[in-house]
Amino acid sequence: VEELRITNYELRISPNPVSQFAVCSLKFVNKRPERIFVYDETGREIYSEKITSANCQLPTAAFSPGIYFIKSTNYVAKLVVE
């Protein structure tokens, strides 16, 4: 299993905690579109989106309150939904 680095610079989520939607800011490593994935605390994928710019909106209104992990190709960030 590949180990992922948790960082606040390469993949930034704001605001955090969040209730309605969050903004993902991603530093592109390969200068090409990326896909982000959202996983719940059990590791189940609950959302994914292909992003083509450094910023995207992540709709979180339908997420249950809890801790989620946002993963890009090389980075992971923690998201708290209230």
Side-chain angles (χ1 to χ4, degrees), residues 37-47 63-70 79:
F37 300 91
V38 179
Y39 298 94
D40 65 13
E41 291 178 290
T42 67
R44 182 175 56 107
E45 181 184 315
I46 60 165
Y47 181 84
F63 295 2
S64 298
I67 297 173
Y68 296 86
F69 297 93
I70 315 300
L79 173 68

